[in-house]
Amino acid sequence: MPIATPDEYNAMIDAAKAGGYAFPAVNVTSSQTLNAALQGFAEAESDGIIQVSTGGAAFWSGSSVKNMVIGSLAFAAFARETAKGYGIKVALHTDHCPKDKLADFVLPLLAASEAEVKAGRDPFFNSHMWDGSAESLEENLRIAAELLPRTAAAKQILEVEIGAVGGEEDGVENAINEKLYTTVEDALATIDALGAGEKGRYITALTFGNVHGVYKPGNVKLRPEILKDIQAQVGAKLGKENPFDLVFHGGSGSSEQEIADAVSYGVIKMNIDTDTQYAFTRPVAGHMFQNYDGVLKVDGEVGNKKTYDPRVWGAAAEKSMAARVAEAARQLGSAGKKL
Ligand SMILES: O=C(CO)COP(=O)(O)O
Ligand SMILES: O=C[C@H](O)COP(=O)(O)O
Ligand SMILES: [Zn+2]
Ligand SMILES: [Zn+2]
């Protein structure tokens, strides 16, 4: 099956951790961006992770519907079928879910997967993210500790965010503030609250200056070395090397060195969205400008159907986004890594 089973997802993450590589986790918002991501993983001969944000899930349900549960389940169903054509395996994930969206996103999806597992089937999603970064650490960990036994029982993995990712998604005032850098104390509190795997598997976005989106050089100061320090100090306390399986948010615009450093400190999943959105759209813009008189009906002219057929510019968009995904797989070291 092209969608990772729970055991296969665990095996993917374990292999990445042991092998010193990470998987791109690509945000998708449509059948075309989903196929583009799958094409990119196939080109790189890489397994991968495909995810929907709250906004992306709503968009999947139709821009006039905006229902995150309908959109998420539609995405998962479509992915289960279309992934059969690519020869790689992907895990399905839901991205940042803040407290005010739990009731309309992660909780109903979790309940739907609990019913699937009770019926002897795999969960709809391999993992869900709870994003408590806007809450106090205590509240963040309290809710995470409530969710963890449920995701574990549903054969899923929980992603948590300890610290905060900057950028428009978290509404940070500026790209650099102290919340963007997780402390050892916060990491230790996470282990106290969630255990080290014995209460259920979780992956952790410890933040090291991460910012969603792409900014001019100098605005974002990634400090992946704090991951090394946290892994060392918490690992020493637990007697376990690199105790956290880490998630790198805000992957777009990151340098190869920053990515390599973060992966060497235990990152197994890097989220990428802004760069892939641009990669998808850039050829569409070119197509429209180059075929101005074909895509527009001007002065009674009927235009040229072969230029405004969505499959024409859509194929170019998919190809371009696929190339960006394949590049991410190569940068992260997952290229050539398939179960
Ligand atoms: O972190 C992300 C999704 O959760 C993606 O961030 P970018 O848009 O910066 O790649
Ligand atoms: O986490 C942020 C991702 O980039 C998704 O954001 P989005 O709401 O634009 O899809
Ligand atoms: Zn966040
Ligand atoms: Zn993110």
Side-chain angles (χ1 to χ4, degrees), residues 6 80 112-124 153-155:
R80 263 176 178 72
S113 284
E114 285 169 332
E116 285 296 289
V117 170
K118 192 171 177 192
R121 292 185 291 269
D122 283 341
F124 286 120
K155 302 197 279 185

Side-chain angles (χ1 to χ4, degrees), residues 58 335 338:
K338 300 195 300 186

Side-chain angles (χ1 to χ4, degrees), residues 16-23 208 224 227 231 242 244 246 248 256-270 328-334:
K17 192 73 174 291
Y21 60 90
F23 293 104
F208 51 97
L227 300 178
Q231 293 276 43
N242 279 351
F244 291 107
L246 296 173
F248 182 152
E256 301 226 1
Q257 189 57 54
E258 287 163 335
I259 290 170
D261 290 349
V263 171
S264 73
Y265 303 141
V267 162
I268 46 88
K269 172 178 181 275
M270 183 182 86
R330 281 189 292 276
Q331 289 176 333
L332 289 161
S334 71

Side-chain angles (χ1 to χ4, degrees), residues 96 129 131 133 161 163-165 169-170 212 249:
H96 298 266
M129 182 180 185
D131 178 355
S133 59
E161 181 175 329
V165 177
E169 192 270 346
D170 278 311
H212 290 128
H249 278 255

Side-chain angles (χ1 to χ4, degrees), residues 18 41 44 75 124 126 143 161 168 216 221 224 264 270 272 298 318 329 334:
F41 285 123
F75 152 70
F124 286 120
N126 296 88
I143 292 174
E161 181 175 329
E168 79 290 344
K216 288 192 176 61
K221 288 190 180 23
S264 73
M270 183 182 86
I272 182 167
V298 180
E318 284 184 21
S334 71

